[in-house]
Amino acid sequence: MVTASNQQCNITSSHTASLQSVPCVPSNVSVVMDCANNIAVVSWSASRGAVQYSVTARGSHSNDSCQTSGLNCSLNSLTCGSQYTVEVVAISDSCSSIPSQAVLFKSGPCPPHNVSAQISCVSNDLLISWDVGIRGSLDCVTNSASISWDAASGADSYFVSAVGGDDHTTNCTTSTNTTCKVVDLACGVLYNFSVTAKNSKCESQPSTTINLQTAPCSLSAITAFPQCHNGSILVMWDRMKSSDRNTVYRATAEASDQTLLHCNNTGTSCYLTGAQCDLHYTISVSASSDECSSMRSPPYRVSMEPCPPRDVRLKASCEDHTALVSWTPSPVAETYHVVAMAADGHMHTCNTTFSNCSVSELHCDQQYTVYVTASHENCTSKRSQNTTLNTGPCQPSRLSVTFHCTNQSAVLTWTPSGNAQSYYGWAQGGNGDMLYCHTSNLTCTIEGLVCGTLYNFSVQASDGTCNSSLSDPVQSRAVPCPPDAIRVQPLPMQMDMQVMRFSWTQVSCGNTEYMLHLTGELLGDNQTLFNISSCWTSRTFFEVPLPCSSSYVATVRSGSDKSLPLVGKTAPCPPSGVVYRGNSSFATVSWNASVFATEYTVYDVSVLPRVQICSSTGLSCSLTNIAPRNLVVTASNGGGESEGTNITNVVPHARRRRDLSEQSPMNAPVLDIKQPVPTAVFIEWSKVEAASYYTILIKKQGSSSEVQEMTIESED
């Protein structure tokens, strides 16, 4: 239809016209030969739009064609022995398609005809000929005929058939030559001969049959025995009834390489010497010097022992620990025997009638010596030259896996394989992803692991030619790295307990959980220990209450590894034994040491916020114009400050101190120091007359820090 348009309207004609497009090209063209009738059946797939089809076959000497409305067609006028190109064209009512893709085929070969033959009654050999130029020559020793001819049109090969009475049948076939040798013709037998030409698809009709009678036999049958590895053949026969004891018998052997052997004797046997391995021999005995006379025996065929197999080749299969052994076949061998002997004493053999054999179940990491022998009847050849086969390496063993969390890698180590030159390490995740490493050492690092993923690790050895099987897999999960460092935030002491807030950085692994682990000592006593583990948590902090004056070691786990330890102490316990000595004008506050305390502070808590009165690293502090009420003493260190201890013991000055200037000089006390536990000492001294108090000075050796001072009152 046609539509007319302008800027405002479209008008379509009410009349339409139709047409048929060209038929599609036929496809899938194939040719099947009817060889008996020299007819080619051409078939194809249907073409859209086709009403009928035309088939054309073009040959070098003639053409043929056919038409049909179906999907196959027969070419009935083909010339034998010709090559044709066939094409199919699809036809509609008005058009034809282009030709299909051309297909080549050959017609059947032309049959030989006008066959003629000439028989020699003396030698029982045949001369067969036909009009393509067949010719023949005689061989008196082997009872065979060598046939030659000119090529027949369309023939790829020829088959000569000889069928005689009493099931005497022989034939010959050739494809590469125009010569064929008809052998095994029996004496005194009527044979029917015919020739057939063949190609890849067809064979011609047999030629006209020729009937021929071979010459009668004269000498009785003979026997022959090859002497293995001796290079000779023993030939035996019976005397002719009409012969005298001076008759000379001559044994002749023709080898398959056309060489001849002879021996003479007036008796009933002789040895043919110089026989070679790998050769067939056809032997006959004649009773005169004329080898083609009628006074000769039927042929007798024997084979010498096979030669040692040559060109032994090896092809190892690394996957299944086998090796294919092949060699040049012997023309006489019936069976072959292959031996593979390993350095560790393992031996594997195989027997075959072919020129190759597979030896299996070979041990890994071994060098095998391989040789082959060939056998024929009761003879076995000598061994072939030895060939060496090195089997692939054994699979590595004792695989171990160590994760490196810092770079998400795993280090593989294993026990080596003997012949291995290099190794491949493998890591396969649950999703099938593979990671690998390659090394010539006994350790290999696989990088790029995904934390939290379960991997199957294995290792494979290689000698440059073969790879071993994979080692037994080791299954392990790529664990997340522990946190780089732990931080601690001490909270204020409450009821002699201090809450410690431990925190850490989050590691780069999804859905990672952490566990905090604490070990330590209470009050600095190594006999009083604690061991605390938190629950697994996805948070990056955990709060743990610890007693005052405790030491601890903290680590965090995020898998099998743990972080570097954090060593610390809690705030000290409040000092004990606080004593206020003096009056509101002058007084001394003293206390007992608190474990892990580094500083002590006296506060006035009568006001808010409380006011620091004094601080000391020692165990006492001097005060002026301070009453004992509302005073507390605390101990502190880097972990925090203890709760305050109230003053509960006030010792006022009961009397004036003695005027020591009126006294004679006092003697120094004698000290006795004992250490009952590693963290405490017991100090005792001798009493000094007229002393009202004693002062103890404590200084750490080699330290420049302030001297600790302790005052002890004494009453007479």
Side-chain angles (χ1 to χ4, degrees):
M1 65 183 64
V2 178
T3 300
S5 301
N6 61 17
Q7 295 180 352
Q8 286 79 29
C9 297
N10 294 328
I11 298 177
T12 302
S13 72
S14 59
H15 300 285
T16 61
S18 62
L19 59 87
Q20 177 69 45
S21 62
V22 177
C24 296
V25 178
S27 60
N28 300 324
V29 178
S30 63
V31 180
V32 176
M33 282 298 303
D34 179 0
C35 298
N37 301 306
N38 203 27
I39 295 174
V41 179
V42 185
S43 58
W44 55 88
S45 298
S47 297
R48 188 183 309 164
V51 176
Q52 61 177 349
Y53 301 90
S54 176
V55 179
T56 302
R58 296 179 177 85
S60 55
H61 302 293
S62 64
N63 297 332
D64 198 2
S65 63
C66 61
Q67 288 79 35
T68 181
S69 59
L71 297 178
N72 59 73
C73 190
S74 297
L75 300 172
N76 302 318
S77 301
L78 301 176
T79 301
C80 66
S82 298
Q83 179 170 285
Y84 288 89
T85 300
V86 65
E87 296 175 338
V88 183
V89 174
I91 303 173
S92 67
D93 292 334
S94 57
C95 290
S96 299
S97 71
I98 62 174
S100 67
Q101 185 175 359
V103 175
L104 294 176
F105 72 94
K106 289 182 179 181
S107 62
C110 298
H113 55 281
N114 296 327
V115 176
S116 63
Q118 182 181 2
I119 187 167
S120 171
C121 297
V122 175
S123 63
N124 280 352
D125 293 325
L126 296 180
L127 178 64
I128 302 175
S129 64
W130 53 87
D131 65 346
V132 292
I134 187 167
R135 296 167 297 279
S137 61
L138 302 177
D139 188 334
C140 300
V141 176
T142 62
N143 257 13
S144 62
S146 294
I147 310 301
S148 61
W149 58 88
D150 296 332
S153 178
D156 295 334
S157 64
Y158 300 92
F159 178 79
V160 180
S161 174
V163 180
D166 297 329
D167 295 329
H168 289 286
T169 302
T170 186
N171 59 71
C172 68
T173 301
T174 181
S175 58
T176 59
N177 301 318
T178 57
T179 300
C180 191
K181 190 173 186 178
V182 182
V183 298
D184 294 333
L185 297 176
C187 56
V189 175
L190 177 65
Y191 282 93
N192 298 323
F193 295 90
S194 63
V195 181
T196 303
K198 298 182 178 182
N199 63 18
S200 59
K201 299 292 184 181
C202 296
E203 63 180 41
S204 71
Q205 294 294 325
S207 65
T208 304
T209 300
I210 301 280
N211 299 325
L212 295 173
Q213 178 76 41
T214 60
C217 302
S218 54
L219 267 177
S220 60
I222 65 172
T223 56
F225 303 95
Q227 309 299 297
C228 300
H229 306 295
N230 192 28
S232 64
I233 303 172
L234 173 61
V235 184
M236 303 179 67
W237 60 86
D238 293 332
R239 290 177 179 274
M240 293 188 303
K241 294 180 180 180
S242 60
S243 66
D244 56 28
R245 292 192 176 276
N246 294 322
T247 301
V248 176
Y249 295 90
R250 182 178 177 84
T252 302
E254 181 178 334
S256 52
D257 65 352
Q258 309 304 315
T259 58
L260 297 175
L261 301 176
H262 302 280
C263 67
N264 300 319
N265 201 331
T266 58
T268 58
S269 66
C270 70
Y271 280 94
L272 294 165
T273 60
Q276 302 294 320
C277 62
D278 262 357
L279 293 180
H280 297 287
Y281 286 89
T282 301
I283 304 170
S284 65
V285 178
S286 61
S288 67
S289 61
D290 183 5
E291 294 183 4
C292 283
S293 71
S294 61
M295 306 299 288
R296 58 190 292 270
S297 68
Y300 190 91
R301 291 177 174 82
V302 296
S303 298
M304 292 303 292
E305 80 276 3
C307 293
R310 302 181 303 277
D311 301 327
V312 177
R313 300 173 297 277
L314 301 174
K315 184 177 181 181
S317 175
C318 305
E319 291 76 15
D320 53 5
H321 303 292
T322 64
L324 179 65
V325 186
S326 60
W327 54 89
T328 301
S330 165
V332 301
E334 296 173 337
T335 60
Y336 299 91
H337 181 66
V338 180
V339 176
M341 178 73 73
D344 65 355
H346 173 250
M347 183 175 70
H348 196 87
T349 63
C350 70
N351 298 301
T352 182
T353 59
F354 302 100
S355 59
N356 59 74
C357 193
S358 181
V359 289
S360 58
E361 300 177 1
L362 300 179
H363 292 179
C364 58
D365 267 346
Q366 290 294 319
Q367 184 179 78
Y368 279 85
T369 299
V370 181
Y371 63 85
V372 185
T373 58
S375 298
H376 174 78
E377 295 180 350
N378 295 325
C379 288
T380 301
S381 73
K382 296 180 181 179
R383 290 168 43 169
S384 67
Q385 290 186 342
N386 291 340
T387 304
T388 300
L389 169 67
N390 290 317
T391 58
C394 296
Q395 68 177 34
S397 58
R398 298 181 181 177
L399 173 64
S400 64
V401 181
T402 302
F403 285 101
H404 284 178
C405 294
T406 55
N407 58 2
Q408 288 297 328
S409 64
V411 177
L412 311 184
T413 57
W414 55 86
T415 300
S417 298
N419 293 333
Q421 297 178 1
S422 61
Y423 299 88
Y424 294 91
W426 303 90
Q428 183 174 22
N431 58 359
D433 290 344
M434 293 289 290
L435 300 172
Y436 79 99
C437 59
H438 179 241
T439 182
S440 57
N441 301 317
L442 299 180
T443 181
C444 192
T445 300
I446 296 181
E447 300 178 342
L449 301 176
V450 178
C451 65
T453 300
L454 185 66
Y455 287 93
N456 282 323
F457 293 92
S458 55
V459 67
Q460 185 180 46
S462 175
D463 62 1
T465 302
C466 282
N467 295 335
S468 72
S469 56
L470 293 174
S471 66
D472 294 334
V474 173
Q475 192 175 77
S476 186
R477 190 177 301 276
V479 296
C481 302
D484 294 334
I486 309 174
R487 298 179 297 276
V488 62
Q489 178 184 356
L491 300 181
M493 186 75 68
Q494 293 182 357
M495 301 179 64
D496 293 343
M497 297 293 291
Q498 185 177 25
V499 174
M500 311 294 288
R501 181 187 175 93
F502 295 93
S503 61
W504 50 87
T505 56
Q506 186 173 9
V507 299
S508 57
C509 183
N511 301 322
T512 301
E513 292 188 332
Y514 309 90
M515 174 183 283
L516 174 67
H517 185 220
L518 297 172
T519 59
E521 300 175 355
L522 300 177
L523 298 176
D525 186 358
N526 59 8
Q527 301 298 316
T528 307
L529 307 176
F530 64 85
N531 191 327
I532 302 172
S533 293
S534 73
C535 60
W536 287 99
T537 177
S538 59
R539 297 179 299 174
T540 56
F541 68 92
F542 204 87
E543 295 180 348
V544 181
L546 294 178
C548 58
S549 294
S550 298
S551 62
Y552 61 84
V553 177
T555 57
V556 175
R557 290 183 181 273
S558 58
S560 59
D561 291 337
K562 58 185 178 181
S563 66
L564 295 175
L566 173 67
V567 179
K569 298 180 179 67
T570 63
C573 295
S576 61
V578 179
V579 177
Y580 179 95
R581 291 182 175 88
N583 51 43
S584 59
S585 297
F586 176 82
T588 299
V589 178
S590 62
W591 51 85
N592 294 331
S594 180
V595 177
F596 299 141
T598 58
E599 187 178 22
Y600 301 90
T601 305
V602 179
Y603 291 99
D604 181 358
V605 295
S606 62
V607 295
L608 290 176
R610 64 185 182 179
V611 178
Q612 177 179 323
I613 302 302
C614 71
S615 65
S616 173
T617 58
L619 299 177
S620 64
C621 194
S622 297
L623 307 176
T624 57
N625 302 320
I626 297 296
R629 65 183 180 280
N630 300 323
L631 292 180
V632 296
V633 181
T634 65
S636 61
N637 59 16
E641 187 175 24
S642 71
E643 296 176 280
T645 302
N646 295 320
I647 296 176
T648 58
N649 187 6
V650 178
V651 180
H653 283 295
R655 59 175 182 265
R656 180 180 60 84
R657 293 180 181 271
R658 295 185 179 91
D659 186 0
L660 297 181
S661 61
E662 300 175 358
Q663 303 287 333
S664 60
M666 291 184 290
N667 296 324
V670 178
L671 288 177
D672 182 15
I673 301 176
K674 297 179 181 180
Q675 188 174 11
V677 294
T679 57
V681 293
F682 180 75
I683 303 175
E684 187 178 12
W685 58 86
S686 60
K687 184 176 182 181
V688 177
E689 290 293 333
S692 58
Y693 65 94
Y694 300 90
T695 301
I696 300 175
L697 301 178
I698 303 173
K699 181 180 181 181
K700 183 178 181 180
Q701 290 185 356
S703 175
S704 59
S705 61
E706 182 180 349
V707 177
Q708 296 186 32
E709 181 178 320
M710 183 182 297
T711 301
I712 295 92
E713 295 288 340
S714 175
E715 296 293 338
D716 292 337

